[in-house]
Amino acid sequence: MARVIVMTSGKGGVGKTTSTAAIGTGLAMREKKTVVVDFDVGLRNLDLIMGCERRVVYDFVNVVNGEAKLGQALIRDKRFDDLYVLAASQTRDKDALTKEGVVRVIDQLREQFDYIICDSPAGIEKGAQLAMYCADEAIIVTNPEVSSVRDSDRILGLLGSKTQRAEKDEEPVKQHLLLTRYDAGRVARGEMLKVDDILEILSIPLLGIIPENEAVLRASNTGNPVILDQESTAGKAYADAVSRLLGEQLEHRFPAEPRPRGFFARLFGGAA
Amino acid sequence: MVMVLRLVDPARADFGQQLAAKVAQAPDFYRDAPVVLDLETLARWPAPPNVDFQALAGAIAEAGLACVGVQNGTPHLTQAAKRAGLAAFPSARPANRPNAAAETDGTAVAAPAPRAAAPAQPPPPAPAPAREAPPAVVQKVVKGKTRLVTEPVRSGQQIYARDGDLIVMGTVNAGGEVLADGNVHIYGALRGKAIAGASGDREARLFCQRFDPELVSIAGLFRIADQIEADLIGQRVGIRIVDDTLVIDRLS
Ligand SMILES: Nc1ncnc2c1ncn2[C@@H]1O[C@H](COP(=O)(O)OP(=O)(O)O)[C@@H](O)[C@H]1O
Ligand SMILES: [Mg+2]
């Protein structure tokens, strides 16, 4: 059964697109047939991070509006046969998507793919609500700062009311917390929130902690999702997150950071 | 949340001033707060008066609030309000359905409008003030018995136990809001707003395990974060009304 997963956050610039590219690619590396869908109409970012921006002819909006067939718009990744990209339009405005159209296209994708990863725009308005509407699961991308945690909390509330699952009174959207741009040094200095405090406020299970890492910028500039750089801390952390998404139990590691003993055990046991 | 103002005498010239004075007490909380005018008192007049809703809405806007609709009017009054661009809220059961005014701009959904804290004195009784736009998510309103909430109450969510008590097992996060006509018990941290005695019951009480609220209120008396002594923050507290003031007791 296909899993539709929305990458969402409320706040912008926290790492949704980076995470969509990394986790989507990671799933394809594990031989799951995966499509990453860019819901951020008007900005069109995901294709750049995926390194396929020169191959976009038709986009998600064209398919939703019936101007192109799904097969014409799906871009196959050059590295992995199981990986596809559905790009957003750069020229259309935010209102180009309709709920009915989105539902129709996502349902079509469900027939062909194991994983459909929806990269949400920032905000809590229509664009973000459309991206989450069809979701079975949500990865809440959060930075260790108050405003980001607050926005994530708000998004979690919306997942309980603005999704197809909520409307149909089905089993609720499954929630995962992905802490990104985590800078252990700044956390230790009290400039950023501690993992425990974030978990206490949001009280959802932790999928992974992605460290702040310059490899991300390098990866974005070359169009190679950072998970392909398995030398990097962020790449390893994303690989772990993918494993957890596939049901494996892994400890949370912060590569290269000293930490108090027993901390992981506490985290691991206390995430639920 | 929505503030309900009971309209007693539409001809009172100082309506706007009174409102402005009220807002000045806590400008941050009232800023752009949605207001519903309750017409129940007017509806009981032998011959309901003609009301200039346009002017009233203007006065309310001038005071920094936003008049969104009316409730409990006669058909005649409600029609007049509608012509002035106001929404008509279903009487008595104002909760649980999208608010027409909010729907049109596609953002927020209505908050239930608790009945005004009763005494029919000059407006505004203002049972519970609010700061932001109405919460985006409104949960079910249950009538008459204790309502149990097992999930965290998140930013933008509102839960209202009408005619009964509310028990929250987890936390009420910043930006979240819980209300009850009866008592409110919170077994986690309170970081958002909590309102007991939302319909004016001054006997209602409020309890929480970890106190760090944006606002607490019982029967229209309220305190905002700035008005709470620092040494109470993080404590287990019980709150009640004694002699017209809100008393916050630390529980051992
Ligand atoms: N783990 C990380 N370390 C360093 N920079 C990061 C990390 N994750 C994201 N970034 C950077 O943060 C910016 C915003 O990331 P992006 O994925 O576009 O966020 P969003 O899609 O949520 O707006 C980008 O410049 C990206 O390179
Ligand atoms: Mg993005």
Side-chain angles (χ1 to χ4, degrees), chain A residues 124-126 129 150 152-158 160-162 175 197 200-204, chain B residues 106-107 109 132 134-137 152-157 171 173-175 189 191 210 214:
Chain A
I124 56 169
E125 309 296 325
K126 187 184 166 201
Q129 293 187 13
R150 174 87 175 245
S152 295
D153 192 49
R154 180 101 195 222
I155 283 285
L156 285 164
L158 292 182
S161 66
K162 299 283 183 188
Q175 301 158 347
D197 293 342
E200 203 263 323
I201 293 173
L202 296 179
S203 49
I204 60 172
Chain B
T107 51
V109 176
E132 295 159 1
V137 184
V153 179
R154 302 191 180 278
S155 176
Q157 287 184 321
T171 62
N173 279 344
R191 304 192 187 89
R210 188 132 52 90
E214 293 171 329

Side-chain angles (χ1 to χ4, degrees), chain A residues 13 15-18 38 40 43 45-46 119-122:
Chain A
K16 290 180 294 296
T17 301
T18 303
D38 193 348
D40 203 349
L43 286 178
N45 233 323
L46 184 58
D119 183 19
S120 175

Side-chain angles (χ1 to χ4, degrees), chain A residues 9 11-19 45 119-120 180-181 210-214 216-217 220 234 238:
Chain A
S9 69
K11 194 171 157 67
V14 295
K16 290 180 294 296
T17 301
T18 303
S19 301
N45 233 323
D119 183 19
S120 175
T180 55
R181 311 205 65 169
I210 314 296
E212 176 81 16
N213 185 192
E214 58 189 24
V216 171
L217 188 59
S220 303
Y238 275 119

Side-chain angles (χ1 to χ4, degrees), chain B residues 1-2 34 36 89 94-97 99 109-114 134-135 137-138 158 177:
Chain B
M1 70 168 284
V2 171
V36 172
F89 289 83
N96 212 8
R97 75 172 255 275
N99 156 350
V109 176
V137 184
V138 176
Q158 184 187 59
E177 198 172 292

Side-chain angles (χ1 to χ4, degrees), chain B residues 7-83:
Chain B
L7 198 53
V8 178
D9 183 356
R12 277 186 78 119
D14 59 350
F15 176 77
Q17 277 127 297
Q18 281 195 33
L19 205 52
K22 189 82 191 167
V23 169
Q25 289 172 7
D28 273 356
F29 277 100
Y30 287 113
R31 184 166 303 135
D32 297 326
V35 169
V36 172
L37 287 173
D38 189 307
L39 308 178
E40 197 183 336
T41 310
L42 293 191
R44 278 194 260 109
W45 286 27
N50 282 323
V51 180
D52 185 349
F53 283 104
Q54 203 110 42
L56 273 179
I60 291 171
E62 217 142 90
L65 304 167
C67 186
V68 294
V70 297
Q71 66 182 28
N72 294 327
T74 60
H76 174 74
L77 284 169
T78 306
Q79 271 310 318
K82 280 186 171 169
R83 276 196 300 276

Side-chain angles (χ1 to χ4, degrees), chain A residues 135-191:
Chain A
D136 303 309
E137 301 178 34
I139 297 177
I140 313 295
V141 184
T142 305
N143 292 167
E145 50 178 78
V146 173
S147 61
S148 175
V149 172
R150 174 87 175 245
D151 282 5
S152 295
D153 192 49
R154 180 101 195 222
I155 283 285
L156 285 164
L158 292 182
L159 286 169
S161 66
K162 299 283 183 188
T163 52
Q164 217 172 17
R165 281 177 175 268
E167 284 178 6
K168 291 186 176 167
D169 219 5
E170 292 172 353
E171 199 180 315
V173 175
K174 188 172 176 191
Q175 301 158 347
H176 311 271
L177 177 64
L178 187 65
L179 276 180
T180 55
R181 311 205 65 169
Y182 187 84
D183 184 332
R186 296 190 65 187
V187 172
R189 290 196 296 277
E191 294 165 18

